[in-house]
Amino acid sequence: MTSILGIETSCDETGVAVVADGRRVLANEVASQIDIHKEFGGVVPEIASRQHTRVISQLTRKALGIAGIEIPDAVAVTRGPGLMGSLLVGLCFAKAIAYAWNKPLIGVHHIEGHIFAAMLCDSPPEFPFLALVVSGGHTQLVDCPAPHQYAILGATRDDAVGECFDKVARLLGLPYPGGPSIQKAAEGGDPQAFRFPRAMLDAPHLDFSYSGLKTAVLYTLRDDPGAKDRLPDLAASFQEAAVDALLAKTRQAMRETGARRLVLAGGVAANRRLRERLLADIDGDVFLPPFAYCLDNGAMIAAAADSRLRHGLTDPLTITPDAALPL
Ligand code: KG4
Ligand code: ZN
């Protein structure tokens, strides 16, 4: 058995996990900072990095204890993209313990981690596949022909879809983070009640745009005095428009590339409406990450690192974090 310690600190969750053979999660500890950042309506970077330093050693000790592993076979950590201060905490910590234990260090791209979350199950997807990456910072269609090879086919030209959920939640007076709040508010709402735009549907490219959708909600609230009293309808209509645009471009990408497998990745993968629509409307095999590993966590980083280790892709202790690391 190969055990990997995975550390994720790119944003506002401290995630530490131990994963066996790239697929069996022995421990997955996440210290969320949501309650700390809530009063600011979003993540405050300086507060986030300080909080990571406060909890990372205890959390690591706890994860190793739960896993029953004294020293893992390798140490994996998110190298980027993300908040520089937060990344630094995780990477410095990972380097220190890798050095102390004399074990390989593996730097992982945050999005590669999200893609590998779908591997944390009994029947993981095989390569090649297409990945739909939907998080707070990314909205991308990624061609994955072989392990650790990526080609971005399309991406958002403005807001990421998760960012759009967060901003619209704020407009609707719903708490941060917006994704889960909107999903909850949309329960029982009519997804056709308000007609919101689906951007770039007829465009030949595979890019997305989400700033127009956010503005459309803003204008509806401004111009329709009764709208704010119909919160479930508003939330459901917004969610449907956001999901429709993802579906349309994903179907287009599957058609154009001839891909037969789709892997969903990123925090917005937790959205139930998106999951059910993908299962219903995508022609091909759809692989959804388990709910427990959709949001930022250490297990997905360890899963990606397990494959990297098997491909001989380890890193020297001199690697540095990169807030804008390309995939
Ligand atoms: O991947 P993630 O945890 O962090 C980033 O890498 O950005 O994704 C966080 C994003 C947030 O924008 C959050 O609102 C969104 O994922 N999200 C959701 C849901 N749960 C989280 N969006 C829609 N529906 C959800 N259930
Ligand atoms: Zn993420």
Side-chain angles (χ1 to χ4, degrees):
M1 178 191 80
T2 304
S3 62
I4 300 197
L5 181 75
I7 297 171
E8 153 63 41
T9 64
S10 67
C11 191
D12 62 339
E13 332 269 355
T14 318
V16 184
V18 183
V19 173
D21 301 324
R23 113 171 24 171
R24 216 155 36 86
V25 180
L26 303 182
N28 184 45
E29 292 299 301
V30 179
S32 171
Q33 303 180 6
I34 285 177
D35 287 341
I36 297 170
H37 298 287
K38 218 168 202 160
E39 64 174 296
F40 305 101
V43 178
V44 184
E46 184 59 25
I47 296 176
S49 45
R50 281 164 195 260
Q51 190 59 23
H52 287 308
T53 55
R54 268 182 213 116
V55 303
I56 195 163
S57 329
Q58 295 149 250
L59 212 61
T60 303
R61 212 169 277 139
K62 190 172 172 201
L64 288 168
I66 292 169
I69 299 278
E70 206 169 333
I71 297 182
D73 298 309
V75 179
V77 62
T78 306
R79 195 183 162 190
L83 303 171
M84 185 45 104
S86 293
L87 290 167
L88 258 175
V89 175
L91 189 58
C92 290
F93 183 79
K95 281 184 191 180
I97 55 177
Y99 178 70
W101 287 336
N102 194 24
K103 294 293 176 188
L105 176 74
I106 302 157
V108 174
H109 191 286
H110 183 74
I111 296 304
E112 175 169 78
H114 274 304
I115 292 171
F116 271 80
M119 308 287 178
L120 294 166
C121 65
D122 291 332
S123 42
E126 280 173 31
F127 290 87
F129 56 74
L130 183 80
L132 171 63
V133 177
V134 285
S135 73
H138 291 78
T139 307
Q140 294 177 330
L141 281 160
V142 184
D143 186 27
C144 307
H148 316 297
Q149 290 179 25
Y150 305 103
I152 296 169
L153 307 177
T156 183
R157 297 194 172 182
D158 38 60
D159 293 349
V161 60
E163 182 183 4
C164 186
F165 269 89
D166 294 335
K167 287 178 174 172
V168 167
R170 245 181 128 150
L171 293 176
L172 298 177
L174 296 170
Y176 168 85
S181 301
I182 288 185
Q183 174 174 298
K184 189 148 187 286
E187 281 168 20
D190 174 6
Q192 311 302 334
F194 292 88
R195 193 67 203 158
F196 291 130
R198 280 86 168 140
M200 301 179 162
L201 281 201
D202 300 318
H205 57 71
L206 293 169
D207 286 348
F208 302 89
S209 168
Y210 276 97
S211 70
L213 175 56
K214 166 195 67 191
T215 310
V217 176
L218 177 70
Y219 287 171
T220 299
L221 287 169
R222 187 193 63 186
D223 301 337
D224 179 348
K228 67 174 188 310
D229 300 324
R230 297 167 61 199
L231 184 60
D233 287 349
L234 265 180
S237 301
F238 160 76
Q239 180 172 257
E240 201 66 9
V243 169
D244 267 346
L246 293 175
L247 253 299
K249 285 295 168 188
T250 304
R251 287 166 58 106
Q252 187 180 334
M254 300 276 289
R255 266 197 315 274
E256 285 176 14
T257 60
R260 299 300 309 153
R261 297 186 195 97
L262 177 75
V263 170
L264 182 63
V268 184
N271 186 271
R272 286 179 197 281
R273 186 66 183 145
L274 174 60
R275 294 169 81 99
E276 65 188 32
R277 287 285 310 278
L278 286 173
L279 288 175
D281 296 347
I282 291 293
D283 187 17
D285 294 333
V286 176
F287 295 84
L288 304 174
F291 277 110
Y293 311 120
C294 287
L295 297 173
D296 293 350
N297 64 85
M300 67 186 199
I301 301 303
D306 181 88
S307 173
R308 286 198 158 259
L309 186 65
R310 279 187 280 112
H311 288 85
L313 300 170
T314 62
D315 291 293
L317 289 175
T318 49
I319 55 166
T320 49
D322 184 343
L325 187 67
L327 186 62

